[in-house]
Amino acid sequence: MSRGGMLGRKVLFSLLTIFVVLVINFVLFRVLPGDPVRAVIGRNVKLSAEAQQTLREQFGLDKPIFPDQFLDTLGQWARGNLGISWSLRRPVAEILAAKLWNTLLLIGLGQVLSIVLGILLGLLAGWKRKTPFDVFALTFSLIAWATPTFWLGIILLAAGSTWLGLPTGGLVSPENVGKPLYTVLPDLARHLVLPTLTLTILYLGEYMLIMRSSILEVLSEDYILTAKAKGMTPWQVLWKHALKNAMLPIVTLIALNLGFTVSGAIYIETVFSYDGLGKLFQTALVKQDYPLLQGAFLLLAVSVIAANLLADVLYVLLDPRVKPT
Amino acid sequence: MSEPPLLRVRHLTTEFLLADAGQRARAVEDVSFDVYPGQTVGLVGESGCGKTTVLMSILRLLPANAEIRGQVFFRGIDLLTLTERQMRERRWKDISIVFQGAMNALNPVMRVGEQIREAITLHGLMPPNEAEVRVGELLELVGIPKERGAQYPFQYSGGMRQRAMIAMALACSPGLLFADEPTTALDVMVQAQILELLQGIQRKLGLAIVLVTHDLGVVAEMCDTVVVMYSGKVVEYGPVDVIFNAPQHPYTQNLLQAFPDLARPGTVLACIPGAPPRLTDLPPGCRFAPRCPARMQWCDAEVPILREVQPAHFAACHLVKDV
């Protein structure tokens, strides 16, 4: 099959997976306890039975769950309408979109830094195996990888705010809230230092360890000996022959991590009171805001599936041996 | 031979420093032999006797824990005295090598043609566009259509990969080619084709070959001179017909008896009982003594030196008298 055909099939499968997620998402929030109407009007407000019935009809809750409610919901989702948040009283899609950029900024920065540093560290550690540098990098990575996210966040928060005078939380200082982000870049950067550092340290360990073992495996291959016998310098061998082969497992890891980082930011955003998706999810959970949670689940699922699709596509581009099936 | 040898190996000794308590494994000891232009020298012996280590020592491609002593003259220059940079410039240009693992010796994610071209441009032998033409010529020389240079190694059969490897080895027109068990991983028909190809190329280009193998049939067919190694040492060394018809060392004799003879089908093959000694725990006298059918008392006490049995034929055995 051609590569284009393969791509089409992968996209089709991804769409199919998303559909399954939609169904699960729909069912899940219908079997959860609680009455939507009561949740909307609040627990202690007294409302006549007729008024409640009118609300039910307005929300379409009087119709049977399948097929009427299901098809209706799918239609709304397809148009980008994810419902109204119970706690924030605003459209879910609008809320998610607003927070998504904040999270992408934080995660993107943390991921790029940890990927670049992790790969470099792993590469050097594997290449200079058994040297003090390797031992140091290995120890550091193992500790970093094993450290709980919230714990490292709290420690860095305490240390950074005490000794370096960095802000303890938020996206920007209170006086800058509401202004467009690009107008307050220095302030934004100061606020990003600690959460980004936490994220970088946490993910760096994993990338470093995988890269190190990958490069060690590749360096023992016969084609590396061939490259040396050709008269290449160690750097040329590393750069032209080892790196691309060693990068293959990393690509999968990067793509999968990207899919999960949206949820992984919950701890960090909570610790640093960072106004992103993670904090929003936490609030939605605490307040039992079902529509918001539903939207959040959907976003998570779609980003994980999209990241998987990206990994598949990248793999085919990088490794000619992966047959487009 | 009046010509000076292309490669002259003298007292080559290679030791590996082991991690535990300064132990040393002597993989190669006091190996000497000559390779003349256009000649084929066979390095034979059972697995682990140091054949490959000899080649790797000459090319200086061993890991950092290897210690190499002795002299390796290539066209009169001792390769072991060169700096790493000088050595690098000579690799592939003077001596290239075809490895036994035809499957893995090519980079799986790089096009075959590109891997060959890289060898040429690396040494700055010609501009990229000329190198491209040369890659095509090399591939055709080994019987691969030049369009297939755009393919990846996994799209080749095992035999084709070894052909591509040979084409790559010829890229810089080296004077000497090391072939480290070039046919081991291949089936019999393909083995024959590869050997034929090597012979044809040798005739055409006049290059010398050092062939490492444990297949005596291949040696008989291909080689002019044979170096028989046992446990890191040369036990017998001489012209191929002498080694096959009048072997002097008991090990060579046993080795030949352990090989099937087409002229006498049905004969039971002999085997050599026991295994080679551990490199960290070598016997004090002759290393073959514990397995030798002709062992005498002083074989265990004294190391036999390589003696000239007759002109150009050497054997290291106490049974052998000097000429």
Side-chain angles (χ1 to χ4, degrees):
Chain A
M1 197 191 288
S2 74
R3 292 201 162 185
M6 187 243 19
L7 193 68
R9 255 178 57 160
K10 293 256 192 239
V11 171
L12 204 69
F13 270 114
S14 298
L15 289 177
L16 199 69
T17 319
I18 289 177
F19 178 75
V20 173
V21 168
L22 288 179
V23 172
I24 294 174
N25 219 357
F26 176 82
V27 172
L28 189 66
F29 284 92
R30 293 234 161 15
V31 298
L32 281 173
D35 180 356
V37 174
R38 283 238 65 91
V40 171
I41 58 180
R43 268 175 226 283
N44 300 320
V45 181
K46 286 203 175 10
L47 203 68
S48 69
E50 291 81 41
Q52 288 195 20
Q53 187 57 33
T54 319
L55 268 175
R56 247 175 257 285
E57 276 165 30
Q58 262 184 11
F59 282 114
L61 291 168
D62 56 331
K63 290 183 213 156
I65 287 182
F66 191 84
D68 298 59
Q69 280 195 32
F70 178 64
L71 291 180
D72 192 40
T73 311
L74 278 193
Q76 293 292 338
W77 283 347
R79 268 169 270 150
N81 181 4
L82 298 176
I84 310 279
S85 159
W86 292 347
S87 60
L88 298 169
R89 317 260 163 180
R90 281 198 294 139
V92 169
E94 197 186 294
I95 302 170
L96 287 177
K99 310 284 180 183
L100 181 64
W101 295 112
N102 292 353
T103 293
L104 283 183
L105 179 68
L106 175 63
I107 301 287
L109 246 134
Q111 280 287 343
V112 167
L113 278 173
S114 59
I115 289 169
V116 171
L117 289 175
I119 286 177
L120 270 176
L121 270 181
L123 199 65
L124 288 174
W127 192 34
K128 301 279 175 206
R129 199 188 169 188
K130 289 181 178 168
T131 58
F133 176 80
D134 180 29
V135 174
F136 168 77
L138 199 58
T139 315
F140 175 78
S141 298
L142 279 171
I143 292 173
W145 202 17
T147 308
T149 312
F150 66 90
W151 185 83
L152 182 67
I154 291 170
I155 296 293
L156 285 179
L157 181 65
S161 57
T162 313
W163 294 318
L164 301 175
L166 288 167
T168 51
L171 190 63
V172 285
S173 304
E175 68 271 19
N176 288 330
V177 172
K179 294 182 192 165
L181 285 182
Y182 58 87
T183 56
V184 287
L185 280 180
D187 188 39
L188 178 66
R190 272 168 55 81
H191 280 80
L192 276 174
V193 170
L194 289 176
T196 307
L197 187 65
T198 314
L199 254 179
T200 307
I201 291 176
L202 285 171
Y203 280 100
L204 183 138
E206 191 182 7
Y207 288 123
M208 183 271 168
L209 289 172
I210 302 284
M211 188 65 198
R212 179 180 177 274
S213 72
S214 181
I215 197 80
L216 280 179
E217 200 182 308
V218 167
L219 285 179
S220 68
E221 294 280 352
D222 285 344
Y223 56 82
I224 295 298
L225 193 60
T226 307
K228 284 184 198 158
K230 277 182 181 174
M232 300 184 109
T233 65
W235 269 111
Q236 284 172 320
V237 172
L238 204 64
W239 191 247
K240 288 191 177 162
H241 289 270
L243 195 60
K244 196 174 172 192
N245 283 289
M247 279 302 286
L248 294 175
I250 295 282
V251 168
T252 318
L253 188 67
I254 291 175
L256 292 182
N257 272 348
L258 285 182
F260 283 113
T261 38
V262 176
S263 64
I266 291 177
Y267 298 115
I268 290 187
E269 291 185 0
T270 306
V271 169
F272 290 98
S273 317
Y274 188 88
D275 194 19
L277 281 179
K279 196 150 161 283
L280 186 71
F281 294 172
Q282 195 233 6
T283 321
L285 199 64
V286 170
K287 295 196 169 161
Q288 293 194 352
D289 189 341
Y290 288 169
L292 190 53
L293 274 179
Q294 199 172 14
F297 279 18
L298 203 61
L299 183 68
L300 273 180
V302 170
S303 55
V304 169
I305 292 165
N308 269 292
L309 180 67
L310 183 73
D312 279 345
V313 173
L314 275 180
Y315 225 90
V316 171
L317 291 180
L318 275 177
D319 191 343
R321 284 168 300 180
V322 177
K323 291 226 180 75
T325 48
Chain B
M1 303 203 192
S2 53
E3 262 183 294
L6 191 63
L7 181 76
R8 165 163 283 192
V9 179
R10 286 293 173 271
H11 311 295
L12 184 71
T13 300
T14 302
E15 286 181 331
F16 291 98
L17 301 167
L18 302 181
D20 45 328
Q23 265 205 339
R24 285 159 173 263
R26 190 168 283 189
V28 172
E29 184 176 338
D30 199 20
V31 167
S32 303
F33 63 93
D34 291 331
V35 182
Y36 290 90
Q39 202 196 23
T40 303
V41 172
L43 270 180
V44 294
E46 59 201 295
S47 296
C49 72
K51 300 168 299 213
T52 301
T53 311
V54 168
L55 298 190
M56 291 298 142
S57 302
I58 294 169
L59 289 169
R60 290 173 48 185
L61 285 175
L62 290 170
N65 67 332
E67 202 181 281
I68 309 168
R69 292 193 301 272
Q71 284 120 34
V72 175
F73 296 103
F74 184 84
R75 295 196 172 118
I77 295 162
D78 187 355
L79 298 182
L80 298 185
T81 61
L82 297 178
T83 63
E84 178 54 35
R85 193 203 169 103
Q86 288 169 322
M87 186 64 210
R88 219 160 36 224
E89 281 162 9
R90 294 187 161 263
R91 287 189 191 123
W92 221 256
K93 227 160 62 177
D94 286 343
I95 308 173
S96 61
I97 181 163
V98 174
F99 293 108
Q100 60 174 302
M103 300 298 159
N104 309 319
L106 294 166
N107 186 341
V109 299
M110 208 168 158
R111 292 175 202 279
V112 175
E114 169 63 20
Q115 296 189 49
I116 300 175
R117 197 184 59 77
E118 177 188 74
I120 304 169
T121 47
L122 181 72
H123 291 282
L125 295 179
M126 45 180 85
N129 54 332
E130 277 177 52
E132 209 55 59
V133 179
R134 168 101 172 125
V135 170
E137 288 168 5
L138 285 164
L139 283 172
E140 307 234 295
L141 180 70
V142 298
I144 297 175
K146 65 170 173 247
E147 305 80 51
R148 296 199 63 174
Q151 287 184 326
Y152 291 95
F154 78 92
Q155 290 162 306
Y156 280 33
S157 67
M160 273 185 80
R161 275 181 235 184
Q162 198 57 294
R163 284 168 187 274
M165 193 66 212
I166 292 170
M168 188 155 92
L170 299 173
C172 301
S173 313
L176 178 60
L177 176 70
F178 286 168
D180 187 1
E181 307 204 25
T183 59
T184 303
L186 306 171
D187 67 67
V188 183
M189 285 302 293
V190 181
Q191 278 189 19
Q193 290 169 8
I194 294 291
L195 292 175
E196 225 167 87
L197 175 69
L198 276 175
Q199 276 179 313
I201 282 166
Q202 184 173 31
R203 268 195 301 272
K204 208 182 276 178
L205 307 176
L207 84 168
I209 296 178
V210 174
L211 182 69
V212 162
T213 179
H214 47 240
D215 188 336
L216 290 171
V218 171
V219 175
E221 202 178 313
M222 298 269 302
C223 299
D224 305 297
T225 307
V226 184
V227 180
V228 184
M229 287 185 68
Y230 182 78
S231 185
K233 295 194 77 163
V234 175
V235 291
E236 193 157 4
Y237 170 36
V240 67
D241 49 326
V242 178
I243 296 286
F244 273 82
N245 296 321
Q248 292 300 307
H249 198 285
Y251 179 67
T252 317
Q253 290 163 1
N254 281 343
L255 205 60
L256 287 167
Q257 280 158 14
F259 198 74
D261 189 346
L262 277 182
R264 284 176 295 143
T267 37
V268 178
L269 293 180
C271 69
I272 311 175
R278 289 166 58 93
L279 293 177
T280 47
D281 186 22
L282 294 167
C286 172
R287 290 181 185 181
F288 187 58
R291 302 169 77 187
C292 184
R295 176 184 181 181
M296 299 172 294
Q297 222 167 5
W298 54 308
C299 291
D300 290 324
E302 200 181 316
V303 181
I305 57 157
L306 205 60
R307 284 175 231 265
E308 196 159 24
V309 189
Q310 49 174 298
H313 179 198
F314 301 83
C317 179
H318 291 306
L319 288 170
V320 171
K321 301 275 177 294
D322 277 308
V323 260

